[in-house]
Amino acid sequence: MKMIIAVKFAVLEAVYWSIMASFGAYIASFNLSRGYSQSLVSIMIAVYMVSGFVGQFFWGSVCDRLQTNKKVFVGSVLTAGVLQLAMYVIDHQLAFGLLYGLFGFMIGPLGSILDTWMLRSLDSDIRVYGVSRSCGSAGYAIVILICGNLINRLGYYVMPLISTGFLAATVLMTFTLKDAGVRQKSGSSVSLRDIMSIMKNPSYLTIVAIVFFIGLSNAPVGNLKIMILEAVGGNVSTQGLDAFLGCMVQFLFFLLAGIFIVIPAKIRLFIAALSMTLAMLLNYIAAGVSLIIVASLFMNVSYSFMIASSRELVMRCVEPKYQTTANGVVDAFYSFLSGTIALLYAGAVAQSFGIHTMILISLILSLIPPAIMLLFRRRLV
């Protein structure tokens, strides 16, 4: 029975992440093609990040209060679908920025909501989770490669067409899966006081700090990758290849999560931190597309180790009734808060001082997570 559920979640992961691969991944290059400046695109992504950060807290607490991941997931996916169509049609900077912010609020938290739903349905079995989650990376990799080539040949109109198709498939797939409520009833909503009590947990706080600084290092390079590639002779098609190869590495490492589980979760998190440092160093010394792509491989090694190990640590150190919120907060600090802070300066730094300076800042920041782990390693369970 568990394997059937795992297969269904594997398909759901694949089609959900294909939405992001066909639309979300190319928003920066789409806006640059409209003539928006690098600094403006960076600010728009920062607005998306702020909204996603708020959304993680809001939707995570809604899931824990109502004890449903499925209903929140479906409703948010449908709303995000309407917003992405509106973003494609409307070519007005202020209106687009507002729509992009709402898009982040709706779709930003869905990765952690889906992961918590899956982990609960699979009784927190990291081995099975890793195999199912790997299909999300595989789907993202294949679709982003195909979409990048189609955009290069046909234009950006393929983004909403492909994305809407995968959105429909995602919603249909959810009907084949049952919700997974918690056994421990919370009895009330997850309040700000509850969130603060979670943050007082030393183990959890250390996890949040580590992923925050990994995200702070990753955000400028990951979100402004098209600028980095263009600086060394790449284009949108190259971005698709870069993302494809990186996500295939993600796929492999998620698939092998059952093997890597013999390594303690805190050691895997340390490997994630070191992999990000190596990736930033390679980006800094790169003079061509090839080394940028190699750096992306290590960025994705970092991501796959970080997600699986942090999820395992959170499910272990946080009460079941708060787990969706707790995973959402981790993702909020990694993807959204760190991304917001980084992107508020990254575009301006790249425009004023060059891409190289922006990458150097990321390299320096990437040294912080390994230092935290060495100083506070006993806090991690």
Side-chain angles (χ1 to χ4, degrees):
M1 183 65 179
K2 182 185 287 188
M3 291 311 299
I4 294 173
I5 295 172
V7 170
K8 290 180 178 179
F9 270 112
V11 176
L12 179 56
E13 286 277 355
V15 292
Y16 164 69
W17 283 106
S18 293
I19 299 172
M20 301 301 293
S22 54
F23 194 90
Y26 290 105
I27 287 179
S29 56
F30 173 56
N31 283 339
L32 289 171
S33 75
R34 282 178 158 178
Y36 298 176
S37 68
Q38 290 181 344
S39 57
L40 178 60
V41 170
S42 182
I43 290 170
M44 284 181 171
I45 297 173
V47 171
Y48 168 87
M49 295 288 185
V50 169
S51 300
F53 179 74
V54 175
Q56 287 283 14
F57 286 89
F58 180 79
W59 293 116
S61 66
V62 169
C63 288
D64 285 334
R65 182 178 74 249
L66 301 180
Q67 297 182 28
T68 173
N69 290 70
K70 178 177 177 177
K71 292 176 182 178
V72 174
F73 181 83
V74 172
S76 295
V77 165
L78 289 172
T79 306
V82 174
L83 290 170
Q84 72 178 18
L85 290 174
M87 280 191 288
Y88 178 77
V89 173
I90 296 174
D91 185 8
H92 183 278
Q93 294 178 2
L94 179 58
F96 185 93
L98 293 172
L99 288 169
Y100 196 18
L102 288 172
F103 182 71
F105 181 77
M106 299 306 301
I107 207 164
L110 294 187
S112 59
I113 290 173
L114 177 55
D115 277 7
T116 307
W117 178 14
M118 177 162 53
L119 281 163
R120 284 175 174 169
S121 298
L122 299 174
D123 298 320
S124 297
D125 189 329
I126 295 296
R127 293 179 178 86
V128 181
Y129 162 81
V131 174
S132 295
R133 181 61 181 79
S134 71
C135 292
S137 299
Y140 188 97
I142 293 168
V143 172
I144 200 170
L145 178 64
I146 294 171
C147 202
N149 281 288
L150 288 175
I151 289 171
N152 210 35
R153 289 184 185 182
L154 305 175
Y156 285 96
Y157 76 88
V158 300
M159 288 169 53
L161 291 178
I162 297 174
S163 185
T164 301
F166 281 117
L167 187 145
T170 297
V171 173
L172 289 173
M173 196 63 214
T174 61
F175 294 140
T176 70
L177 285 157
K178 293 182 179 179
D179 213 337
V182 296
R183 295 184 180 90
Q184 183 180 352
K185 302 292 185 179
S186 63
S188 62
S189 64
V190 179
S191 65
L192 180 60
R193 181 179 295 178
D194 294 321
I195 293 171
M196 294 307 297
S197 71
I198 299 170
M199 297 296 288
K200 290 178 182 177
N201 180 324
S203 296
Y204 182 70
L205 185 60
T206 304
I207 296 166
V208 171
I210 292 164
V211 300
F212 169 71
F213 282 106
I214 292 175
L216 199 60
S217 170
N218 173 72
V221 175
N223 287 287
L224 302 178
K225 179 61 68 71
I226 185 62
M227 298 181 192
I228 297 171
L229 288 169
E230 286 179 345
V232 293
N235 55 29
V236 174
S237 183
T238 313
Q239 182 186 9
L241 177 62
D242 174 270
F244 169 76
L245 294 174
C247 287
M248 288 311 295
V249 168
Q250 243 188 69
F251 164 74
L252 178 63
F253 277 82
F254 275 124
L255 189 65
L256 297 177
I259 296 174
F260 292 128
I261 202 171
V262 299
I263 304 171
K266 61 182 178 182
I267 301 300
R268 281 180 275 135
L269 193 56
F270 187 64
I271 293 171
L274 291 179
S275 296
M276 185 58 68
T277 301
L278 179 56
M280 291 305 113
L281 178 61
L282 292 173
N283 274 303
Y284 183 69
I285 65 175
V289 168
S290 297
L291 205 53
I292 297 293
I293 292 175
V294 173
S296 291
L297 302 185
F298 282 100
M299 289 170 69
N300 281 278
V301 169
S302 175
Y303 180 77
S304 54
F305 268 114
M306 186 201 69
I307 288 295
S309 58
S310 64
R311 292 283 192 261
E312 182 178 344
L313 290 167
V314 167
M315 299 301 277
R316 191 184 301 165
C317 72
V318 175
E319 291 181 69
K321 63 181 178 179
Y322 298 137
Q323 284 171 351
T324 302
T325 300
N327 278 322
V329 170
V330 169
D331 285 3
F333 273 79
Y334 171 74
S335 297
F336 299 112
L337 181 60
S338 63
T340 301
I341 294 170
L343 290 170
L344 284 174
Y345 72 80
V349 168
Q351 195 165 306
S352 301
F353 303 101
I355 292 290
H356 218 54
T357 302
M358 182 190 79
I359 297 172
L360 177 60
I361 294 171
S362 287
L363 174 58
I364 294 169
L365 290 169
S366 74
L367 299 173
I368 298 175
I372 292 174
M373 294 208 69
L374 291 173
L375 290 171
F376 301 103
R377 60 186 180 278
R378 292 182 180 178
R379 286 188 176 185
L380 295 176
V381 294

